[in-house]
Amino acid sequence: NLGILYYETERYRDALEALIHALNIDETQANLYYSVGLVYEKLNCPHEAAEAYKKAIAIDSVYLDAYNNLGNLLYQDCQFEKAEVVYQKAIAAGLNHASIYTNLGNALIVQGKIDEAIQVYQQALDFEPSNSDILKNLKIARQYRKHPDRLYLSFGHHFYDQGQYSAAVIQYKKLLDISPNPQVYQKIFSSFISLKEFQKARDVLEEGIEHYPENKELQYAFIQMLIDCGQTQAALDRSNSIRKTVDSLALKVQNALMLPILYKESSEIQFFRTRFTEELQILSQELPLNNTQEIEKALNAFNGQANFCLAYQGQNDLALQIQYGQILQRIMSVCYPDWVKPLAMPSLTAEGKIRVGYISFNMGPRRLGELFIGWLRHCDRSQFEIYCYYLDRRVDDLTQQFKTYS
């Protein structure tokens, strides 16, 4: 009871300690192992949770919630076949319940077993005929049977957005088999990059470009991959070779502002710096912003662009960065004219303090925020109020530090 109380009040470590103590007294209680599984899930320990659910099932072979939770953990880990086996075992044990059949249907459909999933959803309706979720799943499954490409695209995007890139690749590759398109190749490439499987990423891009040689996005991604891998000359050669066949402002900007990460000798620094300066001047003079289409192309071309490697040359970059900033200001002023109107300086707080805001992706696991946390730690709080806006979902101890100093 103490363990359950701790669990309900979100004191999960204390709950785990109390439940383990209870198991040391009596390890024959399936509900104790089930509760331990719940706690481990809250502590983000899925493997330990799964083991606890297995022990609960070993003691009580008809423990419905333990079967469901175990199967759901396997599903969330993209172990769909194993999840299917768990749900089938529950049914074989006599657990004829709508939730088991629904979960089984979900595990089947993600594997592309659409007909089997439809049959299982229909069985689930035998137990709960008016269940809106089951009816919705059945309707979707029937649509997928007519259009399987939608199935693979939907699940591919779902897993990609959840950061489950291996599962996303499986779905996208199935989609390529029946309905290939360049966007799918790009999604597979991005998935492999996130998995740090760079050779596979390169291979899939080359395959996509072989099928769609004039696709701007695939060519851009391939050149950027070469740049990121330190193959600047190869990237430059590739970019120059496709200039006549692939007309893209984004590719022109990428080419113009291309810089190495490392240099072999000082003459190489001078070559790229001179080239960067000249190309930046051309962009500044010739960037077309005469109509909506040109404005949108310019905005997309510079989106995500940053002169990060310019600082690696060890020279004074102020003039170049000002010139680059003026190009961006031109683009943004025609896109968002309200944003360039003069703003009145806001008044000070009642205590006479100046408010300072920081917005960043780097207040968590990326760790780059460690370079700047000192700005907050050593700020004179008698003169300034600090506000931080974090753009990532992942949190860690660094995130807590930014919270503390905000």
Side-chain angles (χ1 to χ4, degrees):
N1 289 338
L2 181 61
I4 299 301
L5 177 62
Y6 284 144
Y7 176 82
E8 291 177 347
T9 55
E10 300 183 2
R11 295 171 58 182
Y12 301 121
R13 290 290 178 188
D14 293 332
L16 183 61
E17 183 178 345
L19 289 167
I20 290 176
H21 183 69
L23 281 170
N24 289 334
I25 297 172
D26 183 0
E27 59 181 13
T28 65
Q29 300 297 314
N31 64 309
L32 289 178
Y33 283 109
Y34 174 75
S35 298
V36 168
L38 294 177
V39 173
Y40 272 129
E41 284 201 63
K42 292 295 186 181
L43 292 172
N44 196 27
C45 301
H47 176 73
E48 291 81 357
E51 291 303 311
Y53 294 138
K54 288 177 184 178
K55 290 178 180 179
I57 292 169
I59 296 171
D60 183 354
S61 62
V62 291
Y63 204 138
L64 174 65
D65 289 341
Y67 278 110
N68 269 328
N69 286 16
L70 175 59
N72 292 346
L73 281 174
L74 293 168
Y75 183 98
Q76 291 162 16
D77 194 39
C78 301
Q79 300 184 57
F80 307 118
E81 292 182 3
K82 291 184 178 180
E84 177 188 347
V85 170
V86 169
Y87 301 134
Q88 292 282 19
K89 284 183 177 179
I91 294 170
L95 291 171
N96 293 314
H97 192 277
S99 62
I100 283 290
Y101 282 94
T102 302
N103 287 333
L104 175 58
N106 296 342
L108 289 168
I109 200 167
V110 75
Q111 297 177 71
K113 301 177 181 179
I114 302 175
D115 289 334
E116 293 179 54
I118 290 174
Q119 183 179 357
V120 168
Y121 288 140
Q122 288 172 333
Q123 289 175 293
L125 286 175
D126 291 340
F127 303 102
E128 296 184 18
S130 59
N131 186 302
S132 60
D133 290 334
I134 302 173
L135 290 168
K136 179 182 176 182
N137 287 1
L138 180 59
K139 181 180 178 180
I140 292 172
R142 285 171 173 160
Q143 291 174 346
Y144 285 155
R145 183 163 58 183
K146 295 179 181 179
H147 306 284
D149 55 319
R150 296 179 185 176
L151 166 69
Y152 302 131
L153 182 65
S154 176
F155 277 112
H157 288 347
H158 169 75
F159 291 128
Y160 185 90
D161 292 341
Q162 294 295 317
Q164 296 171 311
Y165 300 110
S166 295
V169 167
I170 293 171
Q171 300 297 324
Y172 288 137
K173 285 187 173 181
K174 289 179 180 178
L175 179 58
L176 281 182
D177 291 338
I178 60 174
S179 181
N181 67 73
Q183 289 74 31
V184 177
Y185 280 106
Q186 193 158 10
K187 280 292 188 180
I188 297 174
F189 162 74
S190 298
S191 298
F192 280 135
I193 290 294
S194 297
L195 292 167
K196 302 191 186 308
E197 297 185 29
F198 301 113
Q199 187 57 51
K200 290 183 179 179
R202 179 168 183 155
D203 291 344
V204 78
L205 265 189
E206 289 180 334
E207 180 184 331
I209 291 172
E210 184 179 349
H211 291 292
Y212 306 97
E214 296 184 10
N215 183 269
K216 303 170 186 178
E217 289 76 17
L218 292 177
Q219 293 285 6
Y220 185 97
F222 190 83
I223 294 168
Q224 191 60 49
M225 181 190 64
L226 292 174
I227 297 171
D228 294 341
C229 290
Q231 301 178 39
T232 313
Q233 190 57 53
L236 195 54
D237 292 343
R238 175 82 176 215
S239 181
N240 290 332
S241 71
I242 64 172
R243 269 187 161 181
K244 294 181 180 180
T245 57
V246 184
D247 183 25
S248 165
L249 180 59
L251 284 167
K252 289 178 182 177
V253 171
Q254 183 188 53
N255 181 291
L257 304 181
M258 192 180 303
L259 292 169
I261 300 173
L262 299 173
Y263 299 90
K264 295 180 181 179
E265 51 192 30
S266 57
S267 60
E268 193 176 9
I269 296 177
Q270 191 55 49
F271 167 80
F272 276 100
R273 191 170 187 85
T274 300
R275 180 181 182 278
F276 183 95
T277 303
E278 293 173 352
E279 294 287 350
L280 188 63
Q281 184 65 30
I282 293 171
L283 282 176
S284 179
Q285 294 173 351
E286 300 181 0
L287 184 67
L289 296 172
N290 301 311
N291 54 56
T292 303
Q293 188 176 15
E294 289 181 349
I295 293 169
E296 185 176 350
K297 284 183 178 180
L299 187 63
N300 291 333
F302 282 88
N303 182 30
Q305 175 68 40
N307 302 325
F308 191 81
C309 293
L310 189 61
Y312 292 0
Q313 296 181 347
Q315 301 188 35
N316 186 345
D317 303 323
L318 180 60
L320 290 175
Q321 294 287 35
I322 288 175
Q323 189 175 0
Y324 178 75
Q326 289 170 341
I327 295 174
L328 297 187
Q329 197 273 343
R330 281 179 55 208
I331 297 170
M332 297 302 286
S333 63
V334 294
C335 287
Y336 306 102
D338 289 342
W339 290 9
V340 295
K341 293 178 181 178
L343 296 176
M345 180 66 71
S347 59
L348 299 179
T349 66
E351 296 82 13
K353 297 181 182 180
I354 297 173
R355 288 166 292 179
V356 179
Y358 298 94
I359 181 169
S360 176
F361 278 101
N362 299 306
M363 298 178 182
R366 293 171 183 246
R367 309 310 295 180
L368 192 60
E370 291 180 352
L371 296 175
F372 315 115
I373 192 69
W375 297 351
L376 279 68
R377 183 183 297 119
H378 301 294
C379 173
D380 185 348
R381 301 295 166 143
S382 67
Q383 297 187 54
F384 301 98
E385 279 188 3
I386 303 298
Y387 298 85
C388 291
Y389 302 91
Y390 181 38
L391 302 179
D392 203 347
R393 300 180 190 176
R394 299 170 298 167
V395 299
D396 66 357
D397 60 303
L398 184 60
T399 314
Q400 187 56 50
Q401 288 186 57
F402 275 97
K403 276 187 177 183
T404 300
Y405 295 126
S406 298

